[in-house]
Structure formats: structure tokens, C-alpha cells
Amino acid sequence: MDRGVELSEFLKSRRARVRPEDVGLPYTGNGTRRVRGLRREELALAAGVSVSHYTRLEQGNSRNVSAEVLDAIADVLRLTGDERGYLHALARPAHRRDDVAQAPIRPGLQRVLDSLVLTPALVLGRHANVVAWNRLAAAVFADFAAIPEERRTIAHLIFLDEEIRRMHGEGWPRLAREHVAQLRVLAARYPMNPQIMQHVDTICGQSPEFRRLWHEHHVAAATHRDYVLDHPVVGELRLSAELVGLPGDPELQGMDLFAAEPGSESEDRLRHLAATTTRVASSHPPVEVATRQI
């Protein structure tokens, strides 16, 4: 991702969402505006910065821009917390090495995954690639061990796996939008990691829906989510998900944990899947086992 180009496109897309009256500016003109949303000079006036200073920023030149100026612009554009962080990351990127190579999963981390017998769990890399999982995650979502490593990503599952789309049903559009928004967060967080944009380019070339969402510039970090799945074996599963950071593993995005409400039918169904995968795994080598393959 060209940081200057993305900064320019992001600011333009957010400026188009805001009307003069939204920020207390009087509307002038004959009723027809040549631009959608705020003009550059209107945004600069509302933010208290010079038009030339804002214009340079929107052209992708963020040299010497201060955090205070970015916050003033963010206030006028009514950016969310995630969007504000994204703007700062684009305009004032951290000087750090973030092209850390993917290391094998630590045995201790894999043991933690395997110990979560009623909790589907995944470990995600920096472009939401699935680098580790437990048996229940494989039983709920997909046989990750059977998927080629280069296709073992959340984006491949969401946009290119028809069974995942079917399982999510009416919730699929929200899932798709949220994941693309998270990928934008990751791209800004790790600007020196080429795998992220290589991954985005690959999915853009294979999925028109992904490509459309990517160019809408949605930005939101994935933390906690709720899902309703139509599982092919046990039926409806209502799961809450939490993405937990792993500070000791800088090459990883985190661990995604899924849980059902205690005492619910969904918990009973997870228990059934866990018992089934345990019985199957006991007569096979110690590999991940699932109820379906893709």
C-alpha cells in the first residue's frame, strides 16, 4: 500500500461524508454543489488550519504534520476512534521494523489451544492468516490442515468458501465488511510488512465483493463480535468472539476465541462437536480433525 496514496484517498472518502451544516458552517450557493461533502477550504476552516496545509496533506504529503492538526481534522471529519488511529498511522507511521518473519508456533501456545476443549480457537498472523488452531475450531469452521497454507486465511474463507458464506447466512455481509475494515487497520499498523498488501492484491483479483469493500475505505479494528452460524452437523450455533493480543509473539495478530453462552443449546452443540472430534482423533495421528473439508 502506497501510504501517501492511501492517505489521500482516505481523507477524500471521509470528507465526502460530511456536509457543511454538520460542522456548523453556513451553506452558500445556488443549491448545486460540485463536490459531495465538504470542500477542502471548508474542512480547513472548520479545523483551524490553512487551506494549503490541508491540501498538501490530502495530496499525501504528511511531512511535519503534527498530531494536533491530525486530531483537529479528525474532529471535523467525525472519525471513529479506529479511523482516527488509522489517520495517525498513515500520516505519522512508526519507525519500527515490522517485517518480522513468521516463526513456528511455540509448543506452549499450541498446548493452550489444545486445552480449550469447549472453545474454538485460532491463532492469526499479521494478514489474518490462520497459523494455528484447535480441534474444535476445525470442527466448527473448516479442516484447516487440508487447506494449502497460502489460502489458509480468513479472507479466503469469507470471500471464496461457499460453505462459510452459507453458514453465516444473513450475517455474511456484516462479516465481510468487518473483516475488510480490520485488514485496513493491519495494513496501517504494519506498513513495512509486504505480505499484507500482497494478500489484499490476491483477494482483490479473486473476489469482486472484496475489491468493492476495499475501495470503500472502511476502517475498524476487530475485537469482540457475535455470530450466528448454521453448522452443517449440529445446526444453529450462537457464538461470541474475542480477539486477544499476544504481546510475546510480535509476528502474530492474536488469538481468536469463540464461546457459547453457558447452559445454552449452542454450548451443548459445541460439547457434542468436541466429543465427536475427540473420538475421531483418538484413532488417528495427532492432526487437526474437522467435520468437513474445503
Side-chain angles (χ1 to χ4, degrees):
M1 180 171 64
D2 185 305
R3 184 178 56 81
V5 171
E6 173 57 21
L7 175 61
S8 175
E9 292 181 353
F10 178 69
L11 285 171
K12 290 176 183 177
S13 71
R14 292 307 175 264
R15 181 162 59 85
R17 300 189 310 186
V18 184
R19 301 171 300 173
E21 54 267 37
D22 293 334
V23 294
L25 293 176
Y27 175 77
T28 58
N30 59 5
T32 302
R33 291 173 62 88
R34 297 178 60 186
V35 298
R36 185 162 57 97
L38 290 177
R39 298 186 178 99
R40 285 178 176 175
E41 58 269 23
E42 291 170 335
L43 193 156
L45 174 64
V49 301
S50 71
V51 176
S52 61
H53 193 55
Y54 175 75
T55 299
R56 286 195 300 273
L57 185 65
E58 193 175 281
Q59 290 172 342
N61 182 1
S62 61
R63 184 180 304 171
N64 299 323
V65 67
S66 69
E68 290 76 16
V69 166
L70 293 176
D71 280 335
I73 292 170
D75 288 341
V76 174
L77 294 177
R78 299 184 170 188
L79 300 188
T80 66
D82 290 333
E83 290 173 332
R84 184 182 297 262
Y86 186 68
L87 175 61
H88 277 266
L90 290 174
R92 295 163 56 88
H95 296 287
R96 66 188 182 194
R97 182 183 177 186
D98 56 22
D99 56 343
V100 182
Q102 177 66 60
I105 292 297
R106 293 182 290 104
L109 184 54
Q110 185 64 60
R111 285 195 292 272
V112 170
L113 285 174
D114 294 338
S115 72
L116 301 172
V117 294
L118 279 182
T119 303
L122 308 170
V123 172
L124 302 178
R126 288 192 171 181
H127 59 282
N129 49 314
V130 180
V131 298
W133 56 92
N134 61 10
R135 285 184 171 86
L136 192 53
V140 170
F141 299 112
D143 185 355
F144 297 107
I147 304 173
E149 185 176 353
E150 66 274 12
R151 295 179 58 84
R152 198 185 297 152
T153 76
I154 300 302
H156 276 93
L157 290 170
I158 292 174
F159 290 93
L160 301 175
D161 179 2
E162 290 301 322
E163 177 62 13
I164 289 292
R165 183 189 289 253
R166 186 204 64 76
M167 284 174 59
H168 282 272
E170 294 180 355
W172 185 90
R174 176 180 64 87
L175 171 72
R177 181 186 175 97
E178 288 177 349
H179 182 65
V180 175
Q182 168 69 359
L183 281 178
R184 280 206 170 273
V185 171
L186 295 175
R189 183 182 301 167
Y190 307 119
M192 299 302 293
N193 190 324
Q195 288 185 314
I196 297 175
M197 289 314 301
Q198 290 170 3
H199 173 62
V200 168
D201 288 344
T202 296
I203 305 300
C204 277
Q206 298 179 10
S207 170
E209 291 164 306
F210 179 93
R211 185 166 60 249
R212 174 182 60 79
L213 288 171
W214 181 258
H215 289 301
E216 290 180 2
H217 297 274
H218 301 300
V219 178
T223 53
H224 54 279
R225 297 93 67 209
D226 293 307
Y227 299 122
V228 180
L229 308 178
D230 180 14
H231 192 273
V233 174
V234 296
E236 183 179 275
L237 286 173
R238 293 182 174 269
L239 302 176
S240 297
E242 295 284 341
L243 182 60
V244 180
L246 298 169
D249 298 276
E251 75 280 12
L252 299 174
Q253 183 188 161
M255 182 183 296
D256 220 3
L257 304 170
F258 301 81
E261 182 179 352
S264 66
E265 290 185 0
S266 292
E267 186 183 53
D268 289 340
R269 290 164 182 166
L270 283 181
R271 197 181 305 277
H272 172 77
L273 283 175
T276 302
T277 57
T278 299
R279 288 197 299 271
V280 173
S282 66
S283 59
H284 286 74
V287 296
E288 311 309 326
V289 177
T291 56
R292 70 179 189 90
Q293 297 183 357
I294 65 172

